[in-house]
Every structure is written in C-alpha cells, then in structure tokens.
Amino acid sequence: MESLIRKTIAAALEEDLGHGDATTNALVAPAARCKARLVAKQDGVLSGISVFRQVFEALDTDLQAWQAAEDGDMVKKGDVVLSFEGKTRAVLAGERTALNFLQHLSGIATLTHTFAALIEDLPCQICDTRKTTPLLRNLEKAAVRHGGGSNHRHNLTDGILIKENHIAAAGDIKTAITRARAAAHHLMKVEIEVTNLDELRQALNAGADVVMLDNMESTTMAEAVGINQELTGGRSKLEASGNVSLERVRAMAETGVDIISIGALTHSAPSLDISLLIETCE
Amino acid sequence: MESLIRKTIAAALEEDLGHGDATTNALVAPAARCKARLVAKQDGVLSGISVFRQVFEALDTDLQAWQAAEDGDMVKKGDVVLSFEGKTRAVLAGERTALNFLQHLSGIATLTHTFAALIEDLPCQICDTRKTTPLLRNLEKAAVRHGGGSNHRHNLTDGILIKENHIAAAGDIKTAITRARAAAHHLMKVEIEVTNLDELRQALNAGADVVMLDNMESTTMAEAVGINQELTGGRSKLEASGNVSLERVRAMAETGVDIISIGALTHSAPSLDISLLIETCE
Amino acid sequence: MESLIRKTIAAALEEDLGHGDATTNALVAPAARCKARLVAKQDGVLSGISVFRQVFEALDTDLQAWQAAEDGDMVKKGDVVLSFEGKTRAVLAGERTALNFLQHLSGIATLTHTFAALIEDLPCQICDTRKTTPLLRNLEKAAVRHGGGSNHRHNLTDGILIKENHIAAAGDIKTAITRARAAAHHLMKVEIEVTNLDELRQALNAGADVVMLDNMESTTMAEAVGINQELTGGRSKLEASGNVSLERVRAMAETGVDIISIGALTHSAPSLDISLLIETCE
Amino acid sequence: MESLIRKTIAAALEEDLGHGDATTNALVAPAARCKARLVAKQDGVLSGISVFRQVFEALDTDLQAWQAAEDGDMVKKGDVVLSFEGKTRAVLAGERTALNFLQHLSGIATLTHTFAALIEDLPCQICDTRKTTPLLRNLEKAAVRHGGGSNHRHNLTDGILIKENHIAAAGDIKTAITRARAAAHHLMKVEIEVTNLDELRQALNAGADVVMLDNMESTTMAEAVGINQELTGGRSKLEASGNVSLERVRAMAETGVDIISIGALTHSAPSLDISLLIETCE
Amino acid sequence: MESLIRKTIAAALEEDLGHGDATTNALVAPAARCKARLVAKQDGVLSGISVFRQVFEALDTDLQAWQAAEDGDMVKKGDVVLSFEGKTRAVLAGERTALNFLQHLSGIATLTHTFAALIEDLPCQICDTRKTTPLLRNLEKAAVRHGGGSNHRHNLTDGILIKENHIAAAGDIKTAITRARAAAHHLMKVEIEVTNLDELRQALNAGADVVMLDNMESTTMAEAVGINQELTGGRSKLEASGNVSLERVRAMAETGVDIISIGALTHSAPSLDISLLIETCE
Amino acid sequence: MESLIRKTIAAALEEDLGHGDATTNALVAPAARCKARLVAKQDGVLSGISVFRQVFEALDTDLQAWQAAEDGDMVKKGDVVLSFEGKTRAVLAGERTALNFLQHLSGIATLTHTFAALIEDLPCQICDTRKTTPLLRNLEKAAVRHGGGSNHRHNLTDGILIKENHIAAAGDIKTAITRARAAAHHLMKVEIEVTNLDELRQALNAGADVVMLDNMESTTMAEAVGINQELTGGRSKLEASGNVSLERVRAMAETGVDIISIGALTHSAPSLDISLLIETCE
C-alpha cells in the first residue's frame, strides 16, 4: 500500500508543480531553509498526517520533522500538530498539495467521528460506502477508520453485494444468493439488499450472510432485527442504509442493526481547517 | 486534455473494478441488456456529464445514449438528464464510478453557481483556488467554469503569485516583483498578496499586474479599490481572498474588487444527489 | 479486467517484438495476407483462447477469425481450435506470444481437469493457491476455473488466512481469530490453518469460517470432518492442503473435506502442445 | 536491467498485496521482527536468489541478510540457502511473491542443468527458445544460463531467424538469406530453418551463418554436420531443434551439432521446492 | 521538475541499455572501478551538466564526482569540466546516454549565447519558440536560459498567442483579443501575431499585451516601435519573429523591439563536442 | 513498433498541449473545419510523414488526408507533400508537434542523403551511430534509412562493440574477442575498435567479424583494407569512424572500407523547412 500512496503523492505533485514553481524558483535561493508549524484552526480528527509528511519528504529528503499527533487523534483549534525544518523551496512548493490531502482526509475523519460518537455506547458500527472520490478510495477509507468507522467492501471484486437489478437478472432472491455463493471464492460472504420484510425472510432463509435494509423506517428495522434473531439466531448481520443523518442515526442504531452505512462520510464531508505557518530561518 | 481524462477514468475504473465485478459476473448474463435513466434528485448545475458517459463507453463501446442536458445546465429535481441503453454488465459495473464523478463535480458547479448568482449584476468574478482534490484539478476547475466561476492559475508553473514568504526571501515587495517579472516568460502576469494598504501601494508602484487582498475588511477593500484607481487607473486587478461566505460575498463584490477567490468551491462542496434508474430490457 | 488483460498483452508483445520483427520486416511485404489454423497436438482443456485472439487483434485490427472451441472446452489431438485470416506480418510477429499464453494457460486448465475428474462425483472442490507465476495470477486463476477447479483468495487483501506465524504473533488461536474478524470488513470470512485436531477444535470454537488442515493424514482429516459436524453442524468449511498428488486426491476427498487446494496446478503444470499452421494466401 | 527487474518485482508485489495484507496487518505489530531461513527441500540449481532478496528489500529497507549460495549454485535438500532478519510484517507480506519467483526460476535452472550435465563432455550447447512465460523472459533466460545453458536471441528484434513462411514469402532460400542480410544491421548474423539436407546445402551456399535443423533424425543430423564441414569448414553453426528429450539429447549432441535448443526448459519446468522457515524474534 | 528529469533519464537509459550492455557485461568485472574526465573539445556554453551526472548516478549510487563548471558557464577547448570515479560498468553503460544529453543541450546553449552576445548591450532579449525536439522541451528551454536567452510560453496551455487562423475564426483582431482575454485566467497575458502596421494598431488599441511582428523588414519594425510608444507608452511589448540570422539579429534589435524569437535555437543547433576520457583504476 | 510510436506521439502531445490549447479553445468553435496543405520550403528528403499524420489522427479520428509523397522521397521547394481536411481545433493544436517531428526527422534524412549521394557508385555504406537524441532513437534511425544510410546496432544490447576500455579490462585484444563471443548469443557478431594496423591484425586473427578503424588517415585505411583481404579474404568487415566530413567522405570510401559511420547524421542535422498552410473551410 505504501507504494500506491507514493504514486498518488507523486501524481499530485506533478499536477500542482507542472514543470516547476515559477514564483519560488524566482525568489527563494536554493539553499534557503525554513521552519514550519502545522496548526489546527478548528477542532477535529486527523487523517493523512503521514501523507502530509511524505509530500515534503518527496521534495526534500533531509527534512526534519517533529510530530505531535497521529492519524486518528483529536486536535483542538490552536494545537500544533507537527513542526519541521527543511529547504524553503521544498516547503513552499509542497505546501498546497500536502494541505489538500490532509484537510480533505481530516474532514472525512471528523465527520465520521461525529456520527460514531453519537452511538458509541451501542453495538453498532458506522461504515463507509463506495461513494468515494475517484482515485482516493484507499486514503478515504483509511480516514473513515481514523474517525472510528469501519469499512465496507473496498471494490466490486472483494465483496458480493446483490442489488435489485442482480435479483431481477437471477430471477428471485434464493437463486441469486445460491449462484453468487457458488461463484464467490470460499472466503467471501454474500450480502443482499432488500426493501421489505418479506424479502428479508427470503434472503435469510436462502443463507445470506449480511442483509442490507434499504431506506427503511426505524420501526421496520426493529422488526427486521427480530426476524433475523428468529431465523438465524443473529448469525447473519443487518446493515441499514439510506437517509442517514446526524439527527436520525441514534434511533437507527437503537433498533439493533449491526451496521449503518453512510455515503456522505466520503462524498460530502467539508475539509478541516488546518494551516501551515512558515518562518524563514536566520 | 481528452487523453488525460481518459486516463483518469481508466484509473478510477481500475480502482472500483479490481479484477472484476464479482456480483454482476455471477448473476448477469454477458449478453443481457438494459435501459437506464439518470435522474436529478435535487436542483443544481451539471458538471461531468461527458465524463459520466465516457465511463460507460469505456466498458461498452456500443452504448446508445440520449443526452438532455449539457455541462453548465441547471437541472431541477426529477429531471431526466440522460438515458441510455447498453450491456447490463457494463452499466452495473460502471454505475458507481460514473456517479462518483458526476455527483462530486456537479456539487462543485452548484456551489459555484450559488455564489455567482448572488453577484451576477456586478462586474466581479467568482474564482477558484488551488485548494482542489488531489488528482482531480482539471475536472474540478472545469466544474467551477460550468457553475459560472472563473479559474485562477492552474498550478505553480503557469502563474506567478508572490506570498508573504516569497517577499521575506526577496527582501521587499519591489524587489520581489522585479525579480519575479524577470524570471517569468513574457506572457505571464505577476500577482502579489498584501495584507494592508501600505503594502498595496508598494505593490502597485512596483508594477504588480494583480494584487491579492488577503483577509481584509470590506471597508478596507473599498479603499484599496480607490488606491488602485488612483495609481494605475484600474489597469491592475484586485483579488479578494479569505473568509468568503454566502452571507458576505455580495458586500465584498460591492467594494469594486475584480475577483473574489473561494477555496470552499472545491474543498467543501457537498455532492449533488443524482441517481441512475436501471430497467432490464425484455 | 479486460483492460488489465490488454495491458498484459501489450507488455508481452513489447517484450517479444522489441522495436520490430527484423526477419519478417525484411522478407514479408506489408500487404501480404495468410490463413492460419490453430491445431491441438495433444488432448487437453483450453484456456486463454480469447487472449490468443487479442494478441493478433492488437497487431491487425481487421483480422477475421472463426473459433471452434471456447475456454473450458476439451480438445483432442488434431482438433482445429480456431482458424483466421489476416496480415502475414501480424501473424508471424504475434505467433510466439499468442502461443506462449495459450499453451501455458491450457497446461494449467488441463492439469486442473485431471485432478477434478478424479473426484467429480464427490462434494469436494479442487482449488488453487497463491503459488502462481508472478504477473499472471488473473489469467492462471481463470485457467483453474476453466479446468473445473475453484479459486482461493486472489491476494493478501481479499481474504483472511491466519497461519502459524500470525497465531504466534497474536498469542493464541482464539485471540487471532477475534482480532482478525474485527479488522476485516463485514463481507470477509476468516480462515485459519491448523496442524492437529486440538487446534481445529479451538479454531471452530472461536468461530473460524474455514479451517485449513495442513499436511494431515487422511484418517486425521476424516476425524476433523466429524469434529466440524459436531461443533458447527458443518457450517464451517474444511480445506485440505499439502502433499496432494493424483494418486492421493481421491482418498482425501472421500474423507469429506470441502476443499482440496493444490499449488502444483499453477506452479508445475507442463504447457499443452498446440501449434499454429500458417499458409500464405494466393 | 536492474531497473526492469525492480519494475517486475513492484508489479508482482502489487498483484499479491493489493491494498494491504489484511491478515498480517490485523495480527502482527508494526514493530515486530523475525528471523527467517530459506531451506531447499529438493536438490537443484538456484536461480532468482537476488530477485528473492529484492522482494523483501522493497518492503523493508533495513533487512539484514546472510547469503550462503549464489545463482547457478547447486543446492542439496536441507541446505540453508539464505537467512535474514527483518520486520515480520514485511517478511510475511513478501514471502509468497519471493518464493514464486525463486521456485519458478530455480525449476528452470535445474531442468537446464539436467540436460546440460548429460552432454557436458561434448562441444555442444543446450540453448533456450522464445517459448518463455510472458513478461518473465529476461529472468527465465538468466535462469537458463544459471543452469549451464546458453541463450538464443532475446526477441524478434535482436536476431534474424528465417522460417518456412519467410522463405515462402521471399521465394527461395537464397533470396531470403540475401534480403535478410541486407536488412540486418552489420552486427547481426542470419539463421535459417531447414527441414532436409538439400535445403541445408542451399542455405550454406547462400551464406547462412547458422542453420536450424528442424525435427531431424540423428543420422540425418550427422550427415548435416559433414555437409557443413565440407561447405564452410565448420564456420557456419548448426542448431538442432524439436523433440528433444532427456533420453535423446546425448545422441543428438554426439552427431556434432553445435547447439541443441529446447522449448521445455522454459515452458514446462516444474518449480523447485524451497521453503521459508520463520521464527519470531524474542 | 526533478522527478520529470529522472523519468526522462530513466527512459533514455532503457532506450540505450535494452536488457543490458552486452559488451561490458562480458568483459568488465562487476567490481572494477575507473576514473573519468569530461573534456571540452570545442569552446561553448554548458547545459545539461546535472543531467549528465544523474545518468551515472542512476547506474551507480556511490559515484564520486568533482564538478568544475556549472550550467551556463563558458568552457574552452581542453577544459576539464568534471571528473569522477565509479564502477567501470556503470561508466561505460552510461557514457553515450549522458553525452547525448550534454552535447545536444550544450549545442543549444552555445548557439543561444552566440546570438545573445551580439546584442548584449541592447535592451532586447533573445527568446526561444515551441520548435523544440519532442519530449525534450523542458531541458531545451533550460538550455536557452543557460545560453543567456529567455523563454517564450512553455506550451499551448500557459500562454495565449493568437495567430492568423485564430483571427479568421474570431472574425477580427479586436474580437479575437477580447474573447481570448475573457477565456484566459487572470494571470495570463494576451499576445497576437500581426503582419503589418495596420494590424498592429488594431491589436494595440484592442489591448494586446504583446504583439508578434511576423517576418517584417527592420525599417517596418522600427515604425512599429514608434507606434507602440505612441499608443501604449511602451507598456505593450513587441516580439520580432521570422528569418532571424546571426547577420541580421543586431539590426533587428536596434529597431527597439523587446524580444527576438528564434526557432533555430532549438531545432537546428549542432551538438557541442565534449568527450569522456576513461582510465581504469589500478 | 507502432505501439511505441503511438506512445511517443501521445507524450509529445501532452508536452505541448498541457491541459488544453488555451488560444484555440477560446477562439475556434468545436465544430469548425479547415483544409491544410503541407508544403516544402526547401529541397530535401522526407522522413516522419506517417508520424506527422498520426499526430493529427490522435486528435481527430475522422481526419481525411491525401498524401503525395512517402518517407524516403525527395521533395523540392514548393512541393505539396500532403493535404488534409479536419477539425480546425485539432489541426491548430497538433500543428507544432507534428512539424517538430517531421522537420527534425527530414533534416536527418536529408543530411544522410547528402553523404550517401557522394559515394553512391562505391560499395560502401553510410551508417549512423548511437549519438542520437534521447528518446527518439527509433525514429532517427528510421530517418537515416530513409536518407539512404544503414543502421549500426540499435543499443548496447543488440550488438557487441569492444572499445579501448573493454580491451584494457580484458587484458588484450584476443582475450577480449574470445570472451565477448562466448558471452554473446549465437546470432550476434563481434566488432572491435582499433587505432592502428597492428591492432587490426590481432583483431582479425582473433576472429573479429567487424573492425572499426578509429580516426585513421585514408592511406592507413587503404592498408587496412589490404590486410583484411589478406587475412580473411574480405569476410570480415571494416568500418571507418571519426572526423567524417562531406569533403572527406569520398576519399574514405575509395579506400575500400565497407562502412563509414557518422555521428553528425543524428546529432547535428539542421531541421528541414516545411510548413503547414491552413485555410478555414467555408
């Protein structure tokens, strides 16, 4: 995974540096050095701090850094998260790219944490979806974990999730589950999406390992939990999905579902305000 | 640019498809075909509709599509934006990646439009920054244009923007501007960031083409506009930056600044809700 | 997956073509055309026939081909598998690369089929391992399926398999299983390797979804099947691994294990003899 | 060549690691260290030992290794080939990829050695072909050298080998050789494939540098050697090809041919059994 | 930019090394070391000396080098520019690639210097064009700067230059300039090409920042300078282009134009003769 | 080779287009079409005409072209080489890149032709070297062939050329040749560089296939030809190298050497003047 992150960072630097930082190259001497402090301007949860460092290390192999917090740590407005010393050219050239990663990922971790904190006393997990920003899925899914959430399948290869159109193609729920299990390798579970309690019963009877309850009312979810207890003794898992808000998440978790998945964690989290203060060294 | 977008799409599909869509391959016959309609679930401005199409065309070269709206068009909740017919496997495998692009970019276009609409009668432009999502800058900057905004420099190579640390390295504002202009090729303008009116005067006297007013009060901005009129006859341009909100943007524009740049356009726009309805063909 | 195969084919052609087929370019006119027939010289099971075609299609977009057999079909010595007509330069330049893929993959499919045929009346699957040729895993795992085998996890990401060193690191079997399940996303099962029946009991009691019986005697395996029936009602699966030979495979399957995994399918299958007969067109 | 091998290793690690070793990351602490010994389980000839090391060095830059044997060395069952100490996570994550390279390449070196040993007292070389595994040609051809064989041309660019279809395209053997020599750069020799002694005479008279005797009986080969002596004083070389087996290779070499080329060296060598024993450090 | 240069060097080494230096690998021991001196065989201006070093450093990470001159320095026939000590294999393998870069780039720097020296007392700059060798633009534009020239826009993205066909498409000069400025980001200037003084007047009146005088006589250029002074007070810049020769360049500069652009700097500079003397170390 | 050229063209277009042609996109409508004629402004030999076409075809898949001359054809000042019709945006965006290839390669073909024409009645070939522009070797070596020259080895892999430092490393000429031949595959010849007639004798006696006469006087070369006749009956080839000029080339060829190699063909050929005339279609 480290090598994939290095490639992502290299591509991001090419995107922002083009064939060189015209301003810095004109005005800052190659040998000039500076100190910099990374300071939180808002409370939140960090994610991407090692990516942030690697951006600068890609530009200055001798950078010295002192790190005060790790991915997953909460920071308060005013906290110094990291300080470092290095070549001024590298620091100015890497600043924007490094912050773009860090603020975006910390925004996701912070929003995830906000949801997770509301239900932390309940046996229910906040989980992400595949609604991630193209090309950043690995990092965004790590940010969800840093915020206290769990991950759903990474991509279409490493998990089976049967949706409405798949059921239509297979003919019925039972056939769909049976055929999916036969095609999956023996370490994959089978999940299926249902929209009502009758479908839920069919799915559990057909041996679904996980059932996604799509856009259900909380009262229906509570009934679903009872049905699962009755038919599988709770061995199958229930995932609630759709219309999840900060207002509604606790009521959903209280129904007894095992997992609540939320697309907004990765597609609509505002970035966290963190900034870099640079002082030229004497 | 087309070839860069094709590479981005291919990378996004690799990210989501891994070595194949396990569910669809198990349940949908290779020859099965379907119809799909892309429907807005929210009002907003479209961006990324051609990227959306290209995702599916990368998976099914014979896809037939009918497009009802273009990038930059406003859509209303319930509008059918596009409909198409193609291989069911390709449609199911590409759905998430295509929507991830479209919803993210349309979110940016929509937020930009919201800002731009508030000042559309004033001679002032809403402009983006380099605070974009890593690896998506081209597409995000296009989304800002679709929303009615203008673009700032694309990257560190294609525009000179002298900031505080650059001034410190050069010694003073005049030296910084003079040296930057000498290093720039002859089609580049020189912009410099100032924090007060004294620095503004120095910058304009040294020949700055554009001056960024960083985090100033609206009343100070209005004075800055007067000074620019006095010293350059308005030939230099003024850009306001920092703390721009929907509440404050009109007051800022009314000061007479030429450009208002807003990082949130690209780093904090929530995604626009658009969904794909799929019907198996008989 | 198609795009990954295209890249693999392009890289293989670069490897063999260098900067051009020196002999063919010297001796064959650009416009010359030929017919070719692909003929089995040995009985076996086909795999890689579409890769074979794509090699030539990459060199001659107008190639006309008639295909008599599909991946997974059995062929007899002398069978014409495919015939085509195209540019002689493309056919001669692509011949070796196309056959290298086809013979290697058909060799794997054929060996897999030989194992699978011996136990086809028993409820037990022949399964591959990660002992594949570097850079060809996707194609080799498809070849195993074409031969009637099933696939184990694709790589270290998409399945949990706890081995001796992992247990040592975690402290004991129960802790290892519990921690692995907590870290896995909710569509992954947990498999663990055991070397005796006591470890098997610990693993099943800790909730292992699959247990790998490493290098056990057939009599011990039979006991293991009984223990699994007793403790999980057969809901957990048993995989036998190690020292599998054509002589021994049926006795292993008769013990009642669910899966027999065999590294030799992909690391030691001899290539299948298939050749291309080319006639210049008049 | 080193940089090409590094790319091959990186691609192989991406193939097996995906976005991380799920099991090891869940169970082994980042700082944990271990010792490992690479032990031969079968007699054979080593090839790929430096690739094996580089796999781990790509994952742990501080790995300490002690190497007891080099590529080309014979090992006996039970020999410790290499021992090393490093991060447990790196060792477990790299184990399969490293062994897949080493066992495959050592299998080729071992089979080559078996052939070469049978004729080591004769002035005849065992030589490979282009029947290699796609994407691994460089490494497989090195393995043949490690086993005591020599290499044929690397690819279609760096050697002229005129086959039946090329002769047909050119019209006759003499024209084919003359035109090929004119097109080749002045450091390339010209080889041609013949199926009988009359064609051999034509080829030698037309100045062929090397002649491939395709699928001939040993007695015919012996005659061919005499003809070559008579017409060129042995300056041209003769290569025997087709139906080479361990039983037949010595009789072929005794005819006096210079080179015997064998596709099976690279397309059908079983992998050599070598394994990695890992002990967690206290 | 460093990472782009590293990629260019790696690609150039792959081009020349193929899968290894056959001669050197056969004849030079891996451990052999040598000393080498880089000596100018002709007077000229250096460019590419750091690229030259990086070629060898890519092949031998322990290379020791002593550098006597920098890019932009003038060298005399016989000067030792650089001396180094390293592995003989690396030095022989990298020699040709390193010299190919250095001689080509120094040729460009030298020709640029020859032009620039003829007008060094005049306020006029020698400037390059986009007539560069494909894939080497960055390095060639740096060579122009090393020779004392300035750079025009880097590519079609980072500068607006309106030519005859663009004017025709827009309708007239004024419309073209107005529309180009509206589309450009606010740090880009607008340049337009004119062929006579009437067009020049239209361009300046429409606010062109720079005007290219295409293929004009020197007397016409002098009139153009007067018109620019009259209409813009010299704020707009004039660039002369077409038919620039060593004979004519001074007369052109004496007209008062600001910039003279010359395609031949990059498309027709002969390489500078520099060679590498290698002594095996005892 | 086609796929390598496509990659080179794509990289060259990325280099020049960046993220779009700012001027053309601002001023030319997407649907606008134009006609263009490629016209020689100087006499010369064409090379790169298919690359030229492919540049535009990469930007406009529907381009219609009429080609009046092929690579290797001589053109006269004023000749229309090619005319085509296509999208104006594609034509303006591709113009510079297409011409940069064509003018550079035709410059090489033209210079090669000038040399070759001077000795066309003699049995001696003009040959290139490895002194090519980095990343363009394939195309430049093709240009030499288009101009009537022949190619030397393509790179360090596909030919053995023993130089002074290699001889020093091996000990003496005979040892160097013997060891090189043993290491080379059996389709490679062995060439060695000598500086005097004594070394020539040693080289021929040791069996060198080709001998490079480095920087010799013509009278010495003539003696060398006699020695080669005496020792090998002319079977070995002699290559003259160093200080080749248009003035001296005929005298060199008249000595009877087989090959004259000239670095300047590829490192110092001025570009050929060819231009593209574009007319907007009505």
Side-chain angles (χ1 to χ4, degrees), chain E:
Chain E
M1 191 168 163
E2 283 309 300
S3 73
L4 300 179
I5 292 177
R6 267 198 299 276
K7 281 187 199 173
T8 299
I9 289 172
L13 281 170
E14 280 190 24
E15 182 183 64
D16 195 38
L17 286 176
H19 34 94
D21 178 346
T23 315
T24 299
N25 292 348
L27 298 176
V28 178
R33 298 183 66 79
C34 69
K35 287 182 179 163
R37 279 170 302 138
L38 179 67
V39 181
K41 313 287 268 190
Q42 228 185 322
D43 295 3
V45 177
L46 279 184
S47 179
I49 193 73
S50 78
V51 177
F52 179 91
R53 283 181 69 154
Q54 286 177 61
V55 168
F56 293 106
E57 289 162 359
L59 298 169
D60 178 357
T61 51
D62 293 327
L63 196 95
Q64 295 294 318
W66 300 268
Q67 198 172 322
E70 297 288 341
D71 285 342
D73 285 355
M74 298 206 55
V75 293
K76 293 282 173 197
K77 181 174 176 179
D79 284 358
V80 175
V81 174
L82 182 124
S83 61
F84 57 86
E85 190 186 322
K87 286 189 193 141
T88 311
R89 282 192 168 191
V91 172
L92 292 172
E95 176 185 10
R96 188 71 265 142
T97 297
L99 285 171
N100 283 350
F101 277 112
L102 181 66
Q103 295 184 248
H104 177 69
L105 297 172
S106 298
I108 290 171
T110 301
L111 181 58
T112 304
H113 176 77
T114 308
F115 274 102
L118 291 172
I119 65 166
E120 65 184 330
D121 56 323
L122 298 173
C124 176
Q125 285 189 306
I126 295 299
C127 179
D128 59 25
T129 65
R130 285 168 42 247
K131 298 181 179 177
T132 55
T133 313
L135 311 191
L136 296 183
R137 185 167 289 170
N138 268 319
L139 292 170
E140 292 186 350
K141 285 194 164 252
V144 168
R145 294 195 302 273
H146 295 144
S150 71
N151 294 146
H152 211 297
R153 61 177 170 170
H154 184 81
N155 61 24
L156 291 168
T157 286
D158 75 342
I160 297 276
L161 174 43
I162 302 168
K163 299 195 173 183
E164 192 181 359
N165 295 99
H166 297 114
I167 299 172
D172 59 54
I173 286 174
K174 186 174 177 185
T175 309
I177 290 174
T178 306
R179 283 171 46 193
R181 192 174 303 284
H185 68 63
H186 64 264
L187 292 183
M188 293 173 88
K189 291 188 175 176
V190 171
E191 177 167 6
I192 188 165
E193 184 181 292
V194 302
T195 57
N196 60 48
L197 299 179
D198 179 49
E199 289 175 2
L200 171 66
R201 277 197 184 85
Q202 294 178 53
L204 293 173
N205 285 330
D209 297 302
V210 186
V211 181
M212 178 186 283
L213 309 173
D214 185 39
N215 260 319
M216 287 189 186
E217 294 299 316
S218 295
T219 50
T220 318
M221 282 186 210
E223 285 186 71
V225 171
I227 291 168
N228 186 35
Q229 200 58 43
E230 169 200 329
L231 295 183
T232 77
R235 264 197 312 272
S236 292
K237 300 296 170 198
L238 297 183
E239 172 184 346
S241 169
N243 277 330
V244 188
S245 63
L246 288 169
E247 292 68 30
R248 194 185 166 220
V249 68
R250 188 161 176 94
M252 291 173 76
E254 285 173 341
T255 63
V257 294
D258 302 284
I259 297 151
I260 297 174
S261 59
I262 310 174
L265 298 184
T266 49
H267 71 52
S268 293
S271 82
L272 188 72
D273 197 359
I274 313 180
S275 71
L276 192 67
L277 307 182
I278 304 172
E279 303 165 54
T280 302
C281 299
E282 42 274 87

Side-chain angles (χ1 to χ4, degrees), chain A residues 16-17 20 24 130 137 157 166, chain B residues 16-17 20 130 137 157 166:
Chain A
D16 195 38
L17 285 176
T24 299
R130 284 168 42 245
R137 184 167 291 170
T157 286
H166 297 113
Chain B
D16 195 38
L17 286 176
R130 283 168 43 248
R137 185 168 289 170
T157 286
H166 298 113

Side-chain angles (χ1 to χ4, degrees), chain A residues 8 11-12 14-24 26-28 92-93 96-97 100-101 103-104 130-138 153-157 159-163 165-166 168-170 175-176 179-180 183 188 267-271 278-280, chain B residues 8 11-12 14-24 26-28 92-93 96-97 100-101 103-104 130-138 153-157 159-163 165-166 168-170 175-176 179-180 183 188 267-271 278-280:
Chain A
T8 299
E14 281 190 23
E15 182 183 63
D16 195 38
L17 285 176
H19 34 95
D21 178 346
T23 314
T24 299
L27 298 176
V28 178
L92 292 172
R96 189 71 264 141
T97 298
N100 284 350
F101 277 112
Q103 295 183 248
H104 177 68
R130 284 168 42 245
K131 298 181 179 178
T132 56
T133 314
L135 311 191
L136 297 183
R137 184 167 291 170
N138 268 317
R153 60 176 173 171
H154 185 81
N155 61 24
L156 291 168
T157 286
I160 297 275
L161 174 44
I162 302 169
K163 299 195 173 182
N165 296 100
H166 297 113
T175 309
R179 283 171 48 193
M188 294 174 87
H267 71 52
S268 293
S271 82
I278 305 172
E279 306 164 51
T280 303
Chain B
T8 299
E14 281 189 24
E15 182 182 63
D16 195 38
L17 286 176
H19 34 95
D21 179 346
T23 315
T24 299
L27 297 177
V28 178
L92 291 173
R96 188 71 263 139
T97 297
N100 284 350
F101 277 113
Q103 294 184 248
H104 177 68
R130 283 168 43 248
K131 296 180 181 178
T132 55
T133 314
L135 311 189
L136 296 183
R137 185 168 289 170
N138 268 318
R153 60 178 173 168
H154 185 80
N155 61 24
L156 290 169
T157 286
I160 298 276
L161 173 43
I162 303 169
K163 300 196 172 181
N165 296 99
H166 298 113
T175 309
R179 282 171 49 192
M188 292 173 89
H267 72 52
S268 293
S271 82
I278 305 173
E279 306 165 52
T280 304

